[in-house]
Amino acid sequence: MTSMFAFNKEILASSGAEICVEATFCSPSHSNLIVAVSSNLFVYSLVEEDSPDVVHSIDFDQSLMGEEEFPNLMPLLEPSKKGQVPTVARMELFAKFKLNGNVCSMAAIRTQTSVGLLGMDSLLISWADAKMSLIEFNMGTNSIVTVSLHYYEREEFKNSSLSERGYPEIRMDPQNRCAALQFYQDKLAILPFKQESSSSNLFDSENPSEEYEFYG
């Protein structure tokens, strides 16, 4: 079998950040900054540390400093609060993942899967020309897993040239009920998500993607 490197081989890795989102992705108790750089996914964690330069306030005796002689030179220092140490925050690279394609858009979503019930977010990523995938972080293996794939590239929708189609864009519902994918300029696909109760789920069927797959 001919290697795919004969057709496409990455010589230099991309260095420009294109898309970033904030999500509780790797742990229920910490927020992460997720940056997409071409076909690479970087996950950063916020780490807080004690400040290396801790300056404590000094209590001055007003009578010893000569307040009457130098009234304008007296510093007005507030007493330091005991037990509080200044901290500094920095971004630390937690993980890096190689993806099978360039990320076009990305959004964080809280689903009703086992990961979502733990208080962690999932990532919804769109790919060219009109594909979308839902991925989650597995704390047991420290890797990402694909939960679902959605393919909308039908021949009847390709009514324009490749250069005019643009990139698929993801838009999320603020209540995490569904996601919308705009593709081929004027096409819209709605991806519903399972809700806690069936009464609040507008797409109450065994396979919602079959009944409510395209809106354009």
Side-chain angles (χ1 to χ4, degrees), residues 119-138:
M120 298 167 58
D121 297 327
S122 303
L123 286 181
L124 195 61
I125 302 177
S126 68
W127 319 86
D129 288 333
K131 294 183 288 291
M132 188 164 48
S133 62
L134 183 68
I135 65 173
E136 295 177 345
F137 182 78
N138 190 327

mmCIF file with all atom_site columns, all heavy atoms in Angstrom, residues 119-138:
data_model
loop_
_atom_site.group_PDB
_atom_site.id
_atom_site.type_symbol
_atom_site.label_atom_id
_atom_site.label_alt_id
_atom_site.label_comp_id
_atom_site.label_asym_id
_atom_site.label_entity_id
_atom_site.label_seq_id
_atom_site.pdbx_PDB_ins_code
_atom_site.Cartn_x
_atom_site.Cartn_y
_atom_site.Cartn_z
_atom_site.occupancy
_atom_site.B_iso_or_equiv
_atom_site.pdbx_formal_charge
_atom_site.auth_seq_id
_atom_site.auth_comp_id
_atom_site.auth_asym_id
_atom_site.auth_atom_id
_atom_site.pdbx_PDB_model_num
ATOM 1   N N   . GLY A 1 119 ? -19.405 16.547 35.816 1.00 0.00 ? 119 GLY A N   1
ATOM 2   C CA  . GLY A 1 119 ? -19.142 17.985 35.821 1.00 0.00 ? 119 GLY A CA  1
ATOM 3   C C   . GLY A 1 119 ? -18.089 18.416 34.840 1.00 0.00 ? 119 GLY A C   1
ATOM 4   O O   . GLY A 1 119 ? -17.480 19.489 35.013 1.00 0.00 ? 119 GLY A O   1
ATOM 5   N N   . MET A 1 120 ? -17.869 17.631 33.789 1.00 0.00 ? 120 MET A N   1
ATOM 6   C CA  . MET A 1 120 ? -16.862 17.949 32.784 1.00 0.00 ? 120 MET A CA  1
ATOM 7   C C   . MET A 1 120 ? -17.536 18.236 31.447 1.00 0.00 ? 120 MET A C   1
ATOM 8   O O   . MET A 1 120 ? -18.604 17.700 31.154 1.00 0.00 ? 120 MET A O   1
ATOM 9   C CB  . MET A 1 120 ? -15.861 16.803 32.639 1.00 0.00 ? 120 MET A CB  1
ATOM 10  C CG  . MET A 1 120 ? -15.078 16.528 33.909 1.00 0.00 ? 120 MET A CG  1
ATOM 11  S SD  . MET A 1 120 ? -14.172 14.953 33.861 1.00 0.00 ? 120 MET A SD  1
ATOM 12  C CE  . MET A 1 120 ? -13.132 15.192 32.422 1.00 0.00 ? 120 MET A CE  1
ATOM 13  N N   . ASP A 1 121 ? -16.896 19.072 30.641 1.00 0.00 ? 121 ASP A N   1
ATOM 14  C CA  . ASP A 1 121 ? -17.428 19.463 29.339 1.00 0.00 ? 121 ASP A CA  1
ATOM 15  C C   . ASP A 1 121 ? -16.878 18.564 28.240 1.00 0.00 ? 121 ASP A C   1
ATOM 16  O O   . ASP A 1 121 ? -15.824 17.938 28.386 1.00 0.00 ? 121 ASP A O   1
ATOM 17  C CB  . ASP A 1 121 ? -17.069 20.919 29.025 1.00 0.00 ? 121 ASP A CB  1
ATOM 18  C CG  . ASP A 1 121 ? -17.684 21.886 30.012 1.00 0.00 ? 121 ASP A CG  1
ATOM 19  O OD1 . ASP A 1 121 ? -18.800 21.603 30.491 1.00 0.00 ? 121 ASP A OD1 1
ATOM 20  O OD2 . ASP A 1 121 ? -17.038 22.906 30.313 1.00 0.00 ? 121 ASP A OD2 1
ATOM 21  N N   . SER A 1 122 ? -17.601 18.527 27.142 1.00 0.00 ? 122 SER A N   1
ATOM 22  C CA  . SER A 1 122 ? -17.152 17.863 25.921 1.00 0.00 ? 122 SER A CA  1
ATOM 23  C C   . SER A 1 122 ? -16.849 18.926 24.872 1.00 0.00 ? 122 SER A C   1
ATOM 24  O O   . SER A 1 122 ? -17.251 20.085 25.008 1.00 0.00 ? 122 SER A O   1
ATOM 25  C CB  . SER A 1 122 ? -18.218 16.892 25.406 1.00 0.00 ? 122 SER A CB  1
ATOM 26  O OG  . SER A 1 122 ? -18.558 15.931 26.390 1.00 0.00 ? 122 SER A OG  1
ATOM 27  N N   . LEU A 1 123 ? -16.154 18.522 23.829 1.00 0.00 ? 123 LEU A N   1
ATOM 28  C CA  . LEU A 1 123 ? -15.800 19.431 22.741 1.00 0.00 ? 123 LEU A CA  1
ATOM 29  C C   . LEU A 1 123 ? -16.513 19.005 21.469 1.00 0.00 ? 123 LEU A C   1
ATOM 30  O O   . LEU A 1 123 ? -16.487 17.830 21.091 1.00 0.00 ? 123 LEU A O   1
ATOM 31  C CB  . LEU A 1 123 ? -14.299 19.446 22.497 1.00 0.00 ? 123 LEU A CB  1
ATOM 32  C CG  . LEU A 1 123 ? -13.420 20.182 23.510 1.00 0.00 ? 123 LEU A CG  1
ATOM 33  C CD1 . LEU A 1 123 ? -11.966 20.111 23.082 1.00 0.00 ? 123 LEU A CD1 1
ATOM 34  C CD2 . LEU A 1 123 ? -13.850 21.624 23.681 1.00 0.00 ? 123 LEU A CD2 1
ATOM 35  N N   . LEU A 1 124 ? -17.141 19.978 20.834 1.00 0.00 ? 124 LEU A N   1
ATOM 36  C CA  . LEU A 1 124 ? -17.773 19.762 19.535 1.00 0.00 ? 124 LEU A CA  1
ATOM 37  C C   . LEU A 1 124 ? -16.915 20.469 18.498 1.00 0.00 ? 124 LEU A C   1
ATOM 38  O O   . LEU A 1 124 ? -16.740 21.687 18.553 1.00 0.00 ? 124 LEU A O   1
ATOM 39  C CB  . LEU A 1 124 ? -19.199 20.307 19.539 1.00 0.00 ? 124 LEU A CB  1
ATOM 40  C CG  . LEU A 1 124 ? -20.118 19.875 18.402 1.00 0.00 ? 124 LEU A CG  1
ATOM 41  C CD1 . LEU A 1 124 ? -20.304 18.359 18.409 1.00 0.00 ? 124 LEU A CD1 1
ATOM 42  C CD2 . LEU A 1 124 ? -21.469 20.564 18.521 1.00 0.00 ? 124 LEU A CD2 1
ATOM 43  N N   . ILE A 1 125 ? -16.379 19.699 17.551 1.00 0.00 ? 125 ILE A N   1
ATOM 44  C CA  . ILE A 1 125 ? -15.418 20.215 16.578 1.00 0.00 ? 125 ILE A CA  1
ATOM 45  C C   . ILE A 1 125 ? -15.970 20.011 15.180 1.00 0.00 ? 125 ILE A C   1
ATOM 46  O O   . ILE A 1 125 ? -16.529 18.952 14.872 1.00 0.00 ? 125 ILE A O   1
ATOM 47  C CB  . ILE A 1 125 ? -14.057 19.511 16.720 1.00 0.00 ? 125 ILE A CB  1
ATOM 48  C CG1 . ILE A 1 125 ? -13.507 19.704 18.137 1.00 0.00 ? 125 ILE A CG1 1
ATOM 49  C CG2 . ILE A 1 125 ? -13.062 20.042 15.704 1.00 0.00 ? 125 ILE A CG2 1
ATOM 50  C CD1 . ILE A 1 125 ? -12.200 18.977 18.372 1.00 0.00 ? 125 ILE A CD1 1
ATOM 51  N N   . SER A 1 126 ? -15.827 21.025 14.328 1.00 0.00 ? 126 SER A N   1
ATOM 52  C CA  . SER A 1 126 ? -16.242 20.915 12.932 1.00 0.00 ? 126 SER A CA  1
ATOM 53  C C   . SER A 1 126 ? -15.017 20.801 12.046 1.00 0.00 ? 126 SER A C   1
ATOM 54  O O   . SER A 1 126 ? -13.942 21.342 12.347 1.00 0.00 ? 126 SER A O   1
ATOM 55  C CB  . SER A 1 126 ? -17.082 22.125 12.508 1.00 0.00 ? 126 SER A CB  1
ATOM 56  O OG  . SER A 1 126 ? -16.290 23.305 12.481 1.00 0.00 ? 126 SER A OG  1
ATOM 57  N N   . TRP A 1 127 ? -15.212 20.071 10.922 1.00 0.00 ? 127 TRP A N   1
ATOM 58  C CA  . TRP A 1 127 ? -14.150 19.823 9.965  1.00 0.00 ? 127 TRP A CA  1
ATOM 59  C C   . TRP A 1 127 ? -14.660 20.148 8.568  1.00 0.00 ? 127 TRP A C   1
ATOM 60  O O   . TRP A 1 127 ? -15.859 20.139 8.311  1.00 0.00 ? 127 TRP A O   1
ATOM 61  C CB  . TRP A 1 127 ? -13.701 18.364 10.012 1.00 0.00 ? 127 TRP A CB  1
ATOM 62  C CG  . TRP A 1 127 ? -13.609 17.784 11.397 1.00 0.00 ? 127 TRP A CG  1
ATOM 63  C CD1 . TRP A 1 127 ? -14.625 17.217 12.117 1.00 0.00 ? 127 TRP A CD1 1
ATOM 64  C CD2 . TRP A 1 127 ? -12.457 17.735 12.233 1.00 0.00 ? 127 TRP A CD2 1
ATOM 65  N NE1 . TRP A 1 127 ? -14.176 16.813 13.342 1.00 0.00 ? 127 TRP A NE1 1
ATOM 66  C CE2 . TRP A 1 127 ? -12.846 17.120 13.446 1.00 0.00 ? 127 TRP A CE2 1
ATOM 67  C CE3 . TRP A 1 127 ? -11.136 18.142 12.067 1.00 0.00 ? 127 TRP A CE3 1
ATOM 68  C CZ2 . TRP A 1 127 ? -11.956 16.903 14.490 1.00 0.00 ? 127 TRP A CZ2 1
ATOM 69  C CZ3 . TRP A 1 127 ? -10.255 17.918 13.110 1.00 0.00 ? 127 TRP A CZ3 1
ATOM 70  C CH2 . TRP A 1 127 ? -10.656 17.308 14.311 1.00 0.00 ? 127 TRP A CH2 1
ATOM 71  N N   . ALA A 1 128 ? -13.740 20.392 7.661  1.00 0.00 ? 128 ALA A N   1
ATOM 72  C CA  . ALA A 1 128 ? -14.122 20.629 6.265  1.00 0.00 ? 128 ALA A CA  1
ATOM 73  C C   . ALA A 1 128 ? -14.496 19.288 5.624  1.00 0.00 ? 128 ALA A C   1
ATOM 74  O O   . ALA A 1 128 ? -13.903 18.253 5.941  1.00 0.00 ? 128 ALA A O   1
ATOM 75  C CB  . ALA A 1 128 ? -12.956 21.278 5.516  1.00 0.00 ? 128 ALA A CB  1
ATOM 76  N N   . ASP A 1 129 ? -15.483 19.294 4.721  1.00 0.00 ? 129 ASP A N   1
ATOM 77  C CA  . ASP A 1 129 ? -16.294 20.414 4.292  1.00 0.00 ? 129 ASP A CA  1
ATOM 78  C C   . ASP A 1 129 ? -17.509 20.617 5.206  1.00 0.00 ? 129 ASP A C   1
ATOM 79  O O   . ASP A 1 129 ? -17.895 21.753 5.470  1.00 0.00 ? 129 ASP A O   1
ATOM 80  C CB  . ASP A 1 129 ? -16.784 20.210 2.866  1.00 0.00 ? 129 ASP A CB  1
ATOM 81  C CG  . ASP A 1 129 ? -15.683 20.361 1.836  1.00 0.00 ? 129 ASP A CG  1
ATOM 82  O OD1 . ASP A 1 129 ? -14.718 21.076 2.101  1.00 0.00 ? 129 ASP A OD1 1
ATOM 83  O OD2 . ASP A 1 129 ? -15.798 19.756 0.773  1.00 0.00 ? 129 ASP A OD2 1
ATOM 84  N N   . ALA A 1 130 ? -18.117 19.530 5.650  1.00 0.00 ? 130 ALA A N   1
ATOM 85  C CA  . ALA A 1 130 ? -19.305 19.628 6.498  1.00 0.00 ? 130 ALA A CA  1
ATOM 86  C C   . ALA A 1 130 ? -19.371 18.419 7.417  1.00 0.00 ? 130 ALA A C   1
ATOM 87  O O   . ALA A 1 130 ? -20.274 17.597 7.343  1.00 0.00 ? 130 ALA A O   1
ATOM 88  C CB  . ALA A 1 130 ? -20.565 19.733 5.647  1.00 0.00 ? 130 ALA A CB  1
ATOM 89  N N   . LYS A 1 131 ? -18.389 18.338 8.302  1.00 0.00 ? 131 LYS A N   1
ATOM 90  C CA  . LYS A 1 131 ? -18.344 17.241 9.263  1.00 0.00 ? 131 LYS A CA  1
ATOM 91  C C   . LYS A 1 131 ? -18.251 17.808 10.668 1.00 0.00 ? 131 LYS A C   1
ATOM 92  O O   . LYS A 1 131 ? -17.763 18.915 10.883 1.00 0.00 ? 131 LYS A O   1
ATOM 93  C CB  . LYS A 1 131 ? -17.158 16.324 8.981  1.00 0.00 ? 131 LYS A CB  1
ATOM 94  C CG  . LYS A 1 131 ? -17.252 15.575 7.668  1.00 0.00 ? 131 LYS A CG  1
ATOM 95  C CD  . LYS A 1 131 ? -16.084 14.637 7.474  1.00 0.00 ? 131 LYS A CD  1
ATOM 96  C CE  . LYS A 1 131 ? -14.811 15.381 7.169  1.00 0.00 ? 131 LYS A CE  1
ATOM 97  N NZ  . LYS A 1 131 ? -14.831 16.008 5.845  1.00 0.00 ? 131 LYS A NZ  1
ATOM 98  N N   . MET A 1 132 ? -18.714 17.009 11.638 1.00 0.00 ? 132 MET A N   1
ATOM 99  C CA  . MET A 1 132 ? -18.727 17.442 13.024 1.00 0.00 ? 132 MET A CA  1
ATOM 100 C C   . MET A 1 132 ? -18.524 16.219 13.916 1.00 0.00 ? 132 MET A C   1
ATOM 101 O O   . MET A 1 132 ? -19.052 15.136 13.631 1.00 0.00 ? 132 MET A O   1
ATOM 102 C CB  . MET A 1 132 ? -20.056 18.140 13.335 1.00 0.00 ? 132 MET A CB  1
ATOM 103 C CG  . MET A 1 132 ? -20.121 18.814 14.686 1.00 0.00 ? 132 MET A CG  1
ATOM 104 S SD  . MET A 1 132 ? -21.519 19.994 14.801 1.00 0.00 ? 132 MET A SD  1
ATOM 105 C CE  . MET A 1 132 ? -22.881 19.022 14.152 1.00 0.00 ? 132 MET A CE  1
ATOM 106 N N   . SER A 1 133 ? -17.755 16.379 14.991 1.00 0.00 ? 133 SER A N   1
ATOM 107 C CA  . SER A 1 133 ? -17.503 15.277 15.908 1.00 0.00 ? 133 SER A CA  1
ATOM 108 C C   . SER A 1 133 ? -17.555 15.779 17.340 1.00 0.00 ? 133 SER A C   1
ATOM 109 O O   . SER A 1 133 ? -17.211 16.932 17.627 1.00 0.00 ? 133 SER A O   1
ATOM 110 C CB  . SER A 1 133 ? -16.151 14.617 15.621 1.00 0.00 ? 133 SER A CB  1
ATOM 111 O OG  . SER A 1 133 ? -15.103 15.549 15.798 1.00 0.00 ? 133 SER A OG  1
ATOM 112 N N   . LEU A 1 134 ? -17.966 14.887 18.238 1.00 0.00 ? 134 LEU A N   1
ATOM 113 C CA  . LEU A 1 134 ? -18.049 15.183 19.667 1.00 0.00 ? 134 LEU A CA  1
ATOM 114 C C   . LEU A 1 134 ? -17.000 14.342 20.375 1.00 0.00 ? 134 LEU A C   1
ATOM 115 O O   . LEU A 1 134 ? -16.991 13.110 20.265 1.00 0.00 ? 134 LEU A O   1
ATOM 116 C CB  . LEU A 1 134 ? -19.441 14.857 20.203 1.00 0.00 ? 134 LEU A CB  1
ATOM 117 C CG  . LEU A 1 134 ? -19.704 15.175 21.676 1.00 0.00 ? 134 LEU A CG  1
ATOM 118 C CD1 . LEU A 1 134 ? -19.705 16.675 21.904 1.00 0.00 ? 134 LEU A CD1 1
ATOM 119 C CD2 . LEU A 1 134 ? -21.034 14.571 22.124 1.00 0.00 ? 134 LEU A CD2 1
ATOM 120 N N   . ILE A 1 135 ? -16.085 14.994 21.093 1.00 0.00 ? 135 ILE A N   1
ATOM 121 C CA  . ILE A 1 135 ? -15.014 14.286 21.777 1.00 0.00 ? 135 ILE A CA  1
ATOM 122 C C   . ILE A 1 135 ? -15.050 14.601 23.265 1.00 0.00 ? 135 ILE A C   1
ATOM 123 O O   . ILE A 1 135 ? -15.540 15.654 23.685 1.00 0.00 ? 135 ILE A O   1
ATOM 124 C CB  . ILE A 1 135 ? -13.622 14.635 21.198 1.00 0.00 ? 135 ILE A CB  1
ATOM 125 C CG1 . ILE A 1 135 ? -13.299 16.118 21.440 1.00 0.00 ? 135 ILE A CG1 1
ATOM 126 C CG2 . ILE A 1 135 ? -13.554 14.310 19.723 1.00 0.00 ? 135 ILE A CG2 1
ATOM 127 C CD1 . ILE A 1 135 ? -11.878 16.480 21.038 1.00 0.00 ? 135 ILE A CD1 1
ATOM 128 N N   . GLU A 1 136 ? -14.535 13.678 24.064 1.00 0.00 ? 136 GLU A N   1
ATOM 129 C CA  . GLU A 1 136 ? -14.454 13.820 25.517 1.00 0.00 ? 136 GLU A CA  1
ATOM 130 C C   . GLU A 1 136 ? -13.070 13.399 25.990 1.00 0.00 ? 136 GLU A C   1
ATOM 131 O O   . GLU A 1 136 ? -12.326 12.713 25.281 1.00 0.00 ? 136 GLU A O   1
ATOM 132 C CB  . GLU A 1 136 ? -15.521 12.971 26.205 1.00 0.00 ? 136 GLU A CB  1
ATOM 133 C CG  . GLU A 1 136 ? -16.943 13.387 25.933 1.00 0.00 ? 136 GLU A CG  1
ATOM 134 C CD  . GLU A 1 136 ? -17.954 12.461 26.574 1.00 0.00 ? 136 GLU A CD  1
ATOM 135 O OE1 . GLU A 1 136 ? -17.565 11.345 26.991 1.00 0.00 ? 136 GLU A OE1 1
ATOM 136 O OE2 . GLU A 1 136 ? -19.129 12.841 26.653 1.00 0.00 ? 136 GLU A OE2 1
ATOM 137 N N   . PHE A 1 137 ? -12.759 13.796 27.226 1.00 0.00 ? 137 PHE A N   1
ATOM 138 C CA  . PHE A 1 137 ? -11.479 13.420 27.829 1.00 0.00 ? 137 PHE A CA  1
ATOM 139 C C   . PHE A 1 137 ? -11.694 12.244 28.768 1.00 0.00 ? 137 PHE A C   1
ATOM 140 O O   . PHE A 1 137 ? -12.589 12.258 29.614 1.00 0.00 ? 137 PHE A O   1
ATOM 141 C CB  . PHE A 1 137 ? -10.874 14.603 28.592 1.00 0.00 ? 137 PHE A CB  1
ATOM 142 C CG  . PHE A 1 137 ? -9.537  14.308 29.211 1.00 0.00 ? 137 PHE A CG  1
ATOM 143 C CD1 . PHE A 1 137 ? -8.388  14.305 28.439 1.00 0.00 ? 137 PHE A CD1 1
ATOM 144 C CD2 . PHE A 1 137 ? -9.421  14.025 30.569 1.00 0.00 ? 137 PHE A CD2 1
ATOM 145 C CE1 . PHE A 1 137 ? -7.155  14.032 28.999 1.00 0.00 ? 137 PHE A CE1 1
ATOM 146 C CE2 . PHE A 1 137 ? -8.189  13.751 31.138 1.00 0.00 ? 137 PHE A CE2 1
ATOM 147 C CZ  . PHE A 1 137 ? -7.060  13.752 30.347 1.00 0.00 ? 137 PHE A CZ  1
ATOM 148 N N   . ASN A 1 138 ? -10.854 11.225 28.611 1.00 0.00 ? 138 ASN A N   1
ATOM 149 C CA  . ASN A 1 138 ? -10.910 10.035 29.456 1.00 0.00 ? 138 ASN A CA  1
ATOM 150 C C   . ASN A 1 138 ? -9.840  10.161 30.536 1.00 0.00 ? 138 ASN A C   1
ATOM 151 O O   . ASN A 1 138 ? -8.645  10.122 30.245 1.00 0.00 ? 138 ASN A O   1
ATOM 152 C CB  . ASN A 1 138 ? -10.679 8.783  28.607 1.00 0.00 ? 138 ASN A CB  1
ATOM 153 C CG  . ASN A 1 138 ? -10.961 7.502  29.379 1.00 0.00 ? 138 ASN A CG  1
ATOM 154 O OD1 . ASN A 1 138 ? -10.743 7.417  30.582 1.00 0.00 ? 138 ASN A OD1 1
ATOM 155 N ND2 . ASN A 1 138 ? -11.460 6.499  28.678 1.00 0.00 ? 138 ASN A ND2 1
#
